[in-house]
Amino acid sequence: MSITLLERGGTVRPLATTGDVARRLDELQWALREGPSVDALHGDEPIVGLHAGCPQDAARWPELAPRVDALGLCTVLAVRMAWERKTLGVMTLGCDTGQGPAPETIVLATAFAAHAAATVALARKAEQLELAMVTRQEIGQAVGILMERYGLTADAAFAYLRRLSQNGNVKLRDVADQLRLTGRLPGEEWPS
């Protein structure tokens, strides 16, 4: 089993694998840009399976299908991980028995993928909130520096930082960081 996350910009990042075969299966699919995981992540079907020896699957994934057999797998099942209608990644299962996954396994895999997606989504949200809190504090410090230095109100100091950010096409956080860390605003020169 493996879990692969979809990052910003469409790149994929392996999060976890249960072993070497799962890791190699994932590497093959992403390198070849074909397979159940690729289709479950980017296609219309949230659950996609490949059965070794199936002519339709061999035609659908001509590069991957023979390699799946070489890995000793008979079936590959990929389940999209989504939360609030947003695709976050894919969970991939490989089966080395000829029967393939039982219907109960597919139900459990779907439930596990949903729980994993919720966990990933909430962890990302917590990370974003933590970053937002730190950013807010840093911008607040920069506003305080401008207030003290130039006798501005909090609103005027913030508006000035925002204007510098927009005019310089620089993130507000970066403008604030420069002021906090160097004591200078963008465009200011060091005294001679």
Side-chain angles (χ1 to χ4, degrees), residues 19-38:
D20 190 50
V21 172
R23 181 188 54 76
R24 290 190 354 232
L25 175 62
D26 272 359
E27 288 172 353
L28 277 172
Q29 290 186 84
W30 303 119
L32 297 170
R33 295 184 180 166
E34 71 174 46
S37 299
V38 174

Side-chain angles (χ1 to χ4, degrees), residues 147-159:
M147 290 171 65
E148 187 276 329
R149 186 181 289 175
Y150 300 111
L152 299 173
T153 66
D155 288 341
F158 181 77

Side-chain angles (χ1 to χ4, degrees), residues 13 47 61 67 123 147 176:
R13 177 176 60 92
I47 301 171
W61 301 297
R67 293 181 171 130
M147 290 171 65

Side-chain angles (χ1 to χ4, degrees), residues 123-154:
R124 285 180 176 174
K125 186 69 157 181
E127 186 178 304
Q128 290 168 353
L129 290 173
E130 187 175 324
L131 179 62
M133 282 179 31
V134 170
T135 299
R136 183 173 183 248
Q137 289 173 342
E138 291 170 348
I139 291 171
Q141 291 170 0
V143 165
I145 292 169
L146 290 175
M147 290 171 65
E148 187 276 329
R149 186 181 289 175
Y150 300 111
L152 299 173
T153 66

Side-chain angles (χ1 to χ4, degrees), residues 8 12 14 16 20 25 31 38-39 55 69 71 85 103 116 123 138 142 146 153 161 168 172-173 183:
R8 285 189 176 168
V12 293
D20 190 50
L25 175 62
V38 174
D39 288 3
D69 193 37
L71 288 173
R85 295 181 297 278
E138 291 170 348
L146 290 175
T153 66
L161 283 175
L172 181 60
R173 178 183 181 185

Side-chain angles (χ1 to χ4, degrees), residues 139 143 146 150 152-173 175-176 185-186:
I139 291 171
V143 165
L146 290 175
Y150 300 111
L152 299 173
T153 66
D155 288 341
F158 181 77
Y160 183 63
L161 283 175
R162 190 176 62 225
R163 205 168 39 255
L164 286 172
S165 168
Q166 290 171 346
N167 291 345
N169 198 23
V170 178
K171 290 182 180 179
L172 181 60
R173 178 183 181 185
V175 172
L185 290 166

Side-chain angles (χ1 to χ4, degrees), residues 5-136:
L5 298 181
L6 182 62
E7 300 290 335
R8 285 189 176 168
T11 61
V12 293
R13 177 176 60 92
L15 179 66
T17 62
T18 56
D20 190 50
V21 172
R23 181 188 54 76
R24 290 190 354 232
L25 175 62
D26 272 359
E27 288 172 353
L28 277 172
Q29 290 186 84
W30 303 119
L32 297 170
R33 295 184 180 166
E34 71 174 46
S37 299
V38 174
D39 288 3
L41 192 63
H42 298 294
D44 295 331
E45 303 171 64
I47 301 171
V48 181
L50 178 153
H51 304 284
C54 173
Q56 291 89 350
D57 291 348
R60 183 175 182 179
W61 301 297
E63 296 292 323
L64 181 69
R67 293 181 171 130
V68 165
D69 193 37
L71 288 173
L73 298 173
C74 296
T75 305
V76 175
L77 178 70
V79 181
R80 182 180 304 146
M81 294 170 38
W83 180 254
E84 296 180 343
R85 295 181 297 278
K86 182 178 179 186
T87 299
L88 301 176
V90 63
M91 183 181 72
T92 308
L93 304 169
C95 183
D96 59 3
T97 64
Q99 302 294 357
E104 302 84 38
T105 302
I106 296 171
V107 170
L108 285 172
T110 303
F112 185 81
H115 285 283
T119 302
V120 167
L122 294 174
R124 285 180 176 174
K125 186 69 157 181
E127 186 178 304
Q128 290 168 353
L129 290 173
E130 187 175 324
L131 179 62
M133 282 179 31
V134 170
T135 299
R136 183 173 183 248

